[in-house]
Each structure stands twice: as C-alpha cells, then as structure tokens.
Amino acid sequence: MNEALKELLDLLDLEQIELDIFRGRSPEERIQRVFGGQVAAQALVAAGRTVPKDRNVHSLHAYFIRPGDPSIPIVYNVDRLRDGRSFTTRRIVAIQHGKAIFTMSASFHVAEEGVAHQASVMPVVPDPESLPTFKDRMYELVADHPDLRDWLSRPRPVDARYASPLTWEAFQNPELRSAETNVWFRYDAELPDDPLLHVVLAAYASDFTLVDTILLAHGMAWGASDIVGASLDHAMWFHGPFRADDWLLYAQESPWSGRARGLARGEMFNASGELVVSVVQEAMIRQTK
C-alpha cells in the first residue's frame, strides 16, 4: 500500500467528538480548497457510523456550498432523520468557520430481493492492464510545466487508466474533443472487507474526472485553459456490492453545458460488466478571459 492510500484511509478514519458529531482533517499540503471527493467521502463515513451494520448505503445527494479550508478540521453533524424497518435516512452538514460548506442526504437499505434488469451496457474498451497509467500518459504532455510535473510525480491513492483522450490531448489536438470519457480505476492494495469503505472510496474517486468530461467537449484543460471551476452538486446511486480494489470502468458523458455550468453523468461497471454505481454531477465552469 503506497503512502498516498495510507494517508487517505487515515483521513477517512474520523474522530468522534460527540454523539453524531465527527471531525475530519485534510492532507498536510496547502492547496487552495479541500477536494470535493474528500468531503463527500468523509460525510458518508460519518453517516455510516450511525447506521446499523445490516444496512448499506444505496444513494446520496450532496451540495457543495462553500470552498473548504484545508488548514483547519471539518466538523460533520449527522441528523438521524429516519430509522424505518427497511430504510434509514441521514442528513450530514459539514461545518468550518461556523458555516456550512457542504450538505448531504444519504439513504441506507437492508438487503432485499426484487425484480432486476440492466439496460446500460459496459463500453468496449481495452483492458486496464494494457493501458498506461495516468502519470505516464500525462508526463510528456506537460513537459513545459514543471509545477504540473511535480504534481504528477507524487504518489496517488487511485490508479486511473484512461481508455479515451485526456483533456490535455484534446487541448493540443481539437480532433480529439469528445463529450465522453472512459476511465478504469482501482485502489492498488488489498482493502478490508467493509462494504461501507468500498462505497466511500468510490465516492472519493467519482469526483476526479466528471468535470473533465465537460472540459473535454470544448478542448479545455486545467492548467492550460483560462478557466475556474467547482463542483456544485453530486448524486450517486449504489446498485450492488463491489470492491474498490478491483478494476472498475467509469464511463462518463456530458449531455449539456452552458450559462457557466456543465452537467456530467457517469456509470461504474465491474470487470464482469455489471452496473454497480450511477453518478450525476453539475459543476460551475467560468472562463476568466
């Protein structure tokens, strides 16, 4: 297990400071704002610690309200909205400087049998092991950007391998523009058999590439184009069990952008082609020039 993954698992081990009140921290590096996937993952951990073990999260709906400050802890307040016979509902508010920076509603469900179908088909893409890592593929693209090269050289908790063009490739070659992205990802270490942990890690990874799908359609890239952006809201549905330390294909598309906003949708498939997670996110994207 690399140091980045160890650090992430440590960040997800929240401190309980009172009944239904938890405290989390951010990585030591002082970036501009807290990564949205981190806040969502920590909020889900907080909610999960108030729910019986026989109930697994099946959906979450979240709003990013203010930028998170990475220099101070984040306090997570959990409201126990409902504890029914089959479903449990929680509302989580993340607070910094006395103000809410993030809210989430999460619903948990006992395992039940029912009708089943899957209309979504997993895209046909190369196997992940045949694809270069994100770091190797990006390194030459940013040869003239030492800051980005330094960022790429750091250990990462997630191994991501693109089966489609990168935003930097489309920035340099307009023929590669597309509103679709396919990315294999996994956490490259054997993880504990805790279903909540695997769901939380999928939530963390889900925020990495969705906004990039919007940028890809316009040939824009972070660090290359004059843009600023931020996640506005994020929703996920968990359809069945999966492991985040096995390869998952994250198939994403952006059906629309406009008015300084963009919408992106994603589906996560396991290696057998089963749809295990659905994701929708809206983001703010502003051109600064």
Side-chain angles (χ1 to χ4, degrees), residues 135-200:
K135 172 185 174 181
D136 290 344
R137 192 159 162 186
M138 272 286 293
Y139 206 70
E140 294 306 318
L141 293 170
V142 297
D144 297 329
H145 299 263
D147 291 343
L148 286 173
R149 281 199 159 204
D150 177 64
W151 173 72
L152 283 169
S153 67
R154 301 176 187 179
R156 297 173 176 278
V158 183
D159 183 357
R161 308 198 180 194
Y162 282 69
S164 54
L166 303 177
T167 55
W168 270 77
E169 291 170 340
F171 173 76
Q172 296 177 1
N173 182 359
E175 294 183 359
L176 297 178
R177 294 182 183 182
S178 171
E180 297 181 357
T181 304
N182 291 305
V183 184
W184 288 102
F185 78 90
R186 73 172 178 185
Y187 290 83
D188 200 11
E190 186 174 352
L191 298 169
D193 295 330
D194 178 3
L196 179 62
L197 175 62
H198 292 266
V199 166
V200 165

Side-chain angles (χ1 to χ4, degrees), residues 6-283:
K6 289 179 182 179
E7 170 73 0
L8 175 58
L9 295 178
D10 187 52
L11 292 177
L12 296 176
D13 187 17
L14 303 182
E15 175 190 2
Q16 184 167 1
I17 57 178
E18 184 52 270
L19 180 66
D20 300 342
I21 302 176
F22 303 84
R23 180 162 51 203
R25 63 178 184 85
S26 299
E28 292 296 329
E29 63 176 303
R30 293 295 177 252
I31 55 177
Q32 181 181 6
R33 65 179 68 181
V34 178
F35 171 53
Q38 173 198 317
V39 183
Q42 288 180 331
L44 194 53
V45 169
R49 290 189 178 177
T50 71
V51 174
K53 294 294 186 182
D54 66 339
R55 304 187 177 207
N56 295 319
V57 60
H58 72 90
S59 69
L60 64 84
H61 301 263
Y63 283 92
F64 298 89
I65 300 172
R66 294 181 177 88
D69 181 351
S71 67
I72 65 170
I74 305 172
V75 174
Y76 296 91
N77 290 336
V78 181
D79 290 334
R80 303 187 183 217
L81 297 183
R82 181 174 186 265
D83 288 287
R85 290 181 298 176
S86 301
F87 290 90
T88 294
T89 308
R90 297 290 184 261
R91 180 174 182 267
I92 311 95
V93 181
I95 298 172
Q96 283 187 318
H97 302 292
K99 297 180 180 180
I101 65 168
F102 173 89
T103 65
M104 173 190 288
S105 294
S107 181
F108 298 75
H109 184 208
V110 298
E112 294 187 60
E113 295 296 325
V115 297
H117 79 276
Q118 177 179 318
S120 296
V121 178
M122 179 176 167
V124 178
V125 298
D127 292 336
E129 302 290 354
S130 69
L131 297 169
T133 65
F134 173 74
K135 172 185 174 181
D136 290 344
R137 192 159 162 186
M138 272 286 293
Y139 206 70
E140 294 306 318
L141 293 170
V142 297
D144 297 329
H145 299 263
D147 291 343
L148 286 173
R149 281 199 159 204
D150 177 64
W151 173 72
L152 283 169
S153 67
R154 301 176 187 179
R156 297 173 176 278
V158 183
D159 183 357
R161 308 198 180 194
Y162 282 69
S164 54
L166 303 177
T167 55
W168 270 77
E169 291 170 340
F171 173 76
Q172 296 177 1
N173 182 359
E175 294 183 359
L176 297 178
R177 294 182 183 182
S178 171
E180 297 181 357
T181 304
N182 291 305
V183 184
W184 288 102
F185 78 90
R186 73 172 178 185
Y187 290 83
D188 200 11
E190 186 174 352
L191 298 169
D193 295 330
D194 178 3
L196 179 62
L197 175 62
H198 292 266
V199 166
V200 165
L201 291 174
Y204 179 86
S206 70
D207 194 35
F208 272 118
T209 56
L210 266 177
V211 178
D212 284 1
T213 307
I214 303 169
L215 300 183
L216 186 67
H218 301 277
M220 296 177 172
W222 303 118
S225 305
D226 295 317
I227 51 173
V228 294
S231 299
L232 296 174
D233 58 15
H234 197 85
M236 300 184 72
W237 294 263
F238 304 94
H239 309 308
F242 61 89
R243 295 190 64 89
D245 50 5
D246 289 336
W247 286 112
L248 296 171
L249 179 65
Y250 196 7
Q252 301 151 80
E253 63 170 354
S254 176
W256 173 88
S257 66
R259 300 181 177 88
R261 304 192 315 275
L263 186 70
R265 300 185 292 227
E267 294 180 322
M268 296 182 186
F269 298 86
N270 64 20
S272 299
E274 296 173 316
L275 178 65
V276 293
V277 184
S278 296
V279 189
V280 178
Q281 183 181 77
E282 188 175 42

